[in-house]
Amino acid sequence: SMVFDFFGYEYRLPFWDKELVDFFKNIPISLKCNKKLYNSILKEEFFSVYRLNFINEIQPGKFKIKLQIIKDFVKRYIPESIIYLFSKRNDYHNYKLITMPMLSELSSVKKETSTKVKYQNTLLIKWYLHKVTEITNL
């Protein structure tokens, strides 16, 4: 908001409307946990209209939630090399295809020799920082 003020622009914060804030203050905590209210509104008011309701697509059961908590806990104790192998295998979003040109560019400019990146986001951040630095040095 300070940036908008600096340049003399007005701004609106629609999700900070008093009625909206009061509404969410009065919702029971059970509906806030795991986005139950949000997901049920999506299913009932939007997805069902277009017949897009799929069984168990949005709200996982208690078993799946507990299983994910266990996975997240165990993951902390697994060596990074194992995590790297799994992250390479499960490239559902084709990050490797997207980020390989970025790695190639970084390698040629910064002489980055490591092709192993624990998280693809690390590579994205390095590439963005390189680009920002490149632009500011012009």
Side-chain angles (χ1 to χ4, degrees):
S1 69
M2 302 226 13
V3 172
F4 289 103
D5 290 336
F6 178 79
F7 288 105
Y9 293 115
E10 293 182 6
Y11 56 92
R12 304 285 187 263
L13 301 171
F15 296 115
W16 284 101
D17 178 72
K18 181 168 175 26
E19 289 179 44
L20 192 60
V21 170
D22 289 342
F23 171 76
F24 281 103
K25 277 186 354 188
N26 295 318
I27 290 177
I29 196 80
S30 62
L31 291 176
K32 293 178 187 179
C33 290
N34 298 318
K35 305 184 311 173
K36 285 185 182 176
L37 177 65
Y38 175 78
N39 291 338
S40 66
I41 295 294
L42 276 181
K43 284 172 86 170
E44 295 166 17
E45 301 296 326
F46 296 97
F47 293 170
S48 66
V49 173
Y50 297 104
R51 289 182 258 145
L52 293 173
N53 282 331
F54 300 106
I55 299 170
N56 295 328
E57 181 180 358
I58 296 179
Q59 293 177 327
K62 288 182 181 180
F63 175 76
K64 284 191 176 184
I65 292 171
K66 286 183 181 182
L67 182 63
Q68 188 60 48
I69 290 169
I70 292 169
K71 283 178 171 180
D72 291 342
F73 177 78
V74 170
K75 197 177 194 181
R76 289 186 249 165
Y77 300 100
I78 296 175
E80 288 184 15
S81 57
I82 303 292
I83 292 173
Y84 174 73
L85 289 174
F86 278 99
S87 68
K88 272 179 54 179
R89 188 182 71 184
N90 298 329
D91 187 12
Y92 301 119
H93 303 294
N94 288 319
Y95 262 0
K96 187 171 184 175
L97 179 70
I98 295 166
T99 57
M100 286 314 291
M102 293 174 175
L103 181 61
S104 175
E105 183 178 340
L106 281 174
S107 297
S108 68
V109 174
K110 294 196 170 206
K111 304 297 183 231
E112 300 244 351
T113 54
S114 174
T115 55
K116 281 188 177 182
V117 176
K118 181 178 173 187
Y119 300 107
Q120 293 298 326
N121 287 342
T122 304
L123 180 57
L124 291 171
I125 290 168
K126 284 183 174 187
W127 185 81
Y128 286 134
L129 287 173
H130 163 68
K131 286 297 185 186
V132 168
T133 305
E134 191 178 77
I135 290 170
T136 56
N137 289 334
L138 290 179

